[in-house]
Amino acid sequence: MSTGISKSQDNRHWRQLYRAALSEIGKNKLPERIAEAEKAVVLRARELFQAAGDNGEETEALDDVMYTLHALRSNYQILGMS
């Protein structure tokens, strides 16, 4: 059973990976950072889906993050950096 502490740590984990992807300046490292963040977001979304309680705010944040990561990946590919 998960505790409030683990939920907080899970929340921080995907946010840290998201920030790392946004701030990555190395063109070779960016796709890896995006993939790591996407994986963490999906895992957290699954956890929230299975959990009881009011998770609407974090769920909405996860949706926004996935949209932003998709846009970041698309811009990366359009600019021919891949």
Side-chain angles (χ1 to χ4, degrees):
M1 186 161 124
S2 70
T3 65
I5 293 172
S6 68
K7 285 184 182 178
S8 176
Q9 290 171 345
D10 291 341
N11 185 348
R12 276 195 312 264
H13 181 69
W14 71 259
R15 290 178 190 273
Q16 289 170 342
L17 292 174
Y18 171 61
R19 287 185 191 113
L22 289 181
S23 62
E24 181 59 57
I25 59 171
K27 67 179 183 177
N28 295 330
K29 191 85 167 155
L30 184 59
E32 180 182 337
R33 295 274 190 217
I34 293 170
E36 289 171 348
E38 287 173 335
K39 181 179 177 182
V41 167
V42 168
L43 289 174
R44 183 61 178 153
R46 285 182 187 159
E47 289 173 356
L48 292 178
F49 180 76
Q50 295 173 352
D54 181 20
N55 300 311
E57 192 172 310
E58 187 177 357
T59 300
E60 187 174 332
L62 291 168
D63 287 343
D64 292 344
V65 164
M66 283 301 282
Y67 178 82
T68 302
L69 290 170
H70 177 73
L72 184 60
R73 181 185 301 281
S74 295
N75 285 334
Y76 176 85
Q77 291 170 342
I78 289 171
L79 294 174
M81 299 174 104
S82 57

